[in-house]
Amino acid sequence: MSIGDVQGHNIEAAAFMGQVRVGLRALASVTGDPGELLARTNDLLVSLGPISSPPAPSCGSTPPPALLECARAGHIPHIWATADGRSGIDDGEGGPPLGVLRGSTTPSRATGSPPAVSSSC
């Protein structure tokens, strides 16, 4: 799962988010780690030249016993909740917005909880 936002509310911003979406989907086929996915997407966006930088969180879960693994690039911390009523805030370190800094990394962090039934990124 990935959620992103871009600066601007015009046709250029919408077209750029389309490019980001296609890039994320393609790169997700070669890595399941959310931090690596955002780092690879960042490198792709930097190679495209000057852009509006989208903040982007990315989450993924592992097979049972499952963990929710998240990474964020220029975005506020994730909020997670489980079916049994547990919840929390992922206050781990994030990375810079995508497309701004060549070679930047985005750390991944597992919450240690089963996959969230709802998440606000």
Side-chain angles (χ1 to χ4, degrees):
M1 170 180 69
S2 180
I3 299 172
D5 189 13
V6 70
Q7 296 173 348
H9 298 282
N10 54 26
I11 192 72
E12 289 85 12
F16 176 68
M17 275 312 299
Q19 289 177 318
V20 172
R21 181 175 174 249
V22 169
L24 276 168
R25 291 189 93 180
L27 293 168
S29 69
V30 296
T31 182
D33 178 82
E36 183 179 348
L37 174 60
L38 291 180
R40 288 178 180 229
T41 302
N42 176 70
D43 290 344
L44 172 66
L45 296 177
V46 168
S47 74
L48 296 175
I51 57 169
S52 283
S53 57
S58 179
C59 299
S61 61
T62 60
L67 296 174
L68 180 65
E69 194 169 342
C70 296
R72 56 191 169 89
H75 206 274
I76 62 173
H78 301 94
I79 299 171
W80 57 268
T82 62
D84 62 4
R86 292 179 294 142
S87 62
I89 298 174
D90 174 20
D91 58 356
E93 181 183 354
L98 297 179
V100 174
L101 183 62
R102 181 178 303 281
S104 68
T105 60
T106 305
S108 290
R109 179 175 165 178
T111 66
S113 298
V117 285
S118 65
S119 177
S120 174
C121 293

